[in-house]
Amino acid sequence: MLIASRILTILLLAGKASLTVAVPFQPWEISRLVVSALPDRGTGSRDEPLNTLAVEIRDVNDYANSTDPTQCITRFSYYSPPYGELFDCTEVPYGKWAFAFFPPEGDRDPSYWSPGQNFTLWFRLMLTTGDVSFDGQADFSVGGNMRGLCSAGGICSFAIKEEMTPFYVNQTESM
Ligand SMILES: *[C@@H]1O[C@H](CO)[C@@H](O)[C@H](O)[C@H]1NC(C)=O
Ligand SMILES: *[C@@H]1O[C@H](CO)[C@@H](O)[C@H](O)[C@H]1NC(C)=O
Ligand SMILES: *[C@@H]1O[C@H](CO)[C@@H](O)[C@H](O)[C@H]1NC(C)=O
């Protein structure tokens, strides 16, 4: 009897231990990513917000009580794109999303945005409960994970390739 209960205790402890093993998070899912541009009509237009970056991303993990996507949108000019600036995404019930974009490493001229250029997207999710936040980032390139084109008139649109949607972004917890 004693032995049996000891074995049971060991089994229970073993079971508990296996439950506490770090379970990797489900990655974030980008369901939409579009970068579009109205024509650069020269010097006068280069400070106008003619470029748009729009992302729809969701979190399917248990720590989020909704799998509805958040919308992350920013408009910016050809001159001095706001690399590294933090933009808020739309509200979700479980926390706050923010995002930023960065030039590719070794960009020749980061002071001018070329439609269709490579970029890196960075996301942060801060949960409402506790001081927990998550960060994740991914690189994007036309011809790599995106496709699109510019019309003769200079209107451009690039989006994540359909076959790569949803596009997964691994997040890591940060304190
Ligand atoms: C989701 O969780 C947050 C706290 O993390 C809470 O304030 C909110 O009411 C919850 N919403 C729903 C729909 O359960
Ligand atoms: C853009 O990204 C692609 C794919 O990762 C890479 O092959 C290419 O060299 C990059 N171009 C620039 C200008 O960084
Ligand atoms: C995300 O994490 C998974 C599991 O650890 C890994 O297999 C995958 O390569 C990662 N993806 C990226 C883009 O780092």
Side-chain angles (χ1 to χ4, degrees), residues 148-168:
L149 44 82
C150 294
S151 72
I155 295 174
C156 306
S157 184
F158 304 94
I160 286 192
K161 289 179 175 172
E162 240 164 72
E163 64 269 28
M164 299 185 85
T165 311
F167 186 89
Y168 297 107

Side-chain angles (χ1 to χ4, degrees), residues 58-113:
R58 68 176 193 153
D59 194 319
V60 299
N61 289 283
D62 288 342
Y63 57 71
N65 58 11
S66 160
T67 56
D68 288 349
T70 183
Q71 313 286 333
C72 307
I73 298 172
T74 182
R75 294 190 167 74
F76 57 95
S77 56
Y78 281 96
Y79 275 154
S80 304
Y83 290 131
E85 196 176 311
L86 210 56
F87 299 102
D88 288 334
C89 304
T90 57
E91 282 190 21
V92 290
Y94 54 88
K96 275 191 187 347
W97 285 86
F99 77 110
F101 66 105
F102 295 91
E105 264 175 61
D107 188 351
R108 282 161 300 148
D109 184 10
S111 65
Y112 183 83
W113 177 262

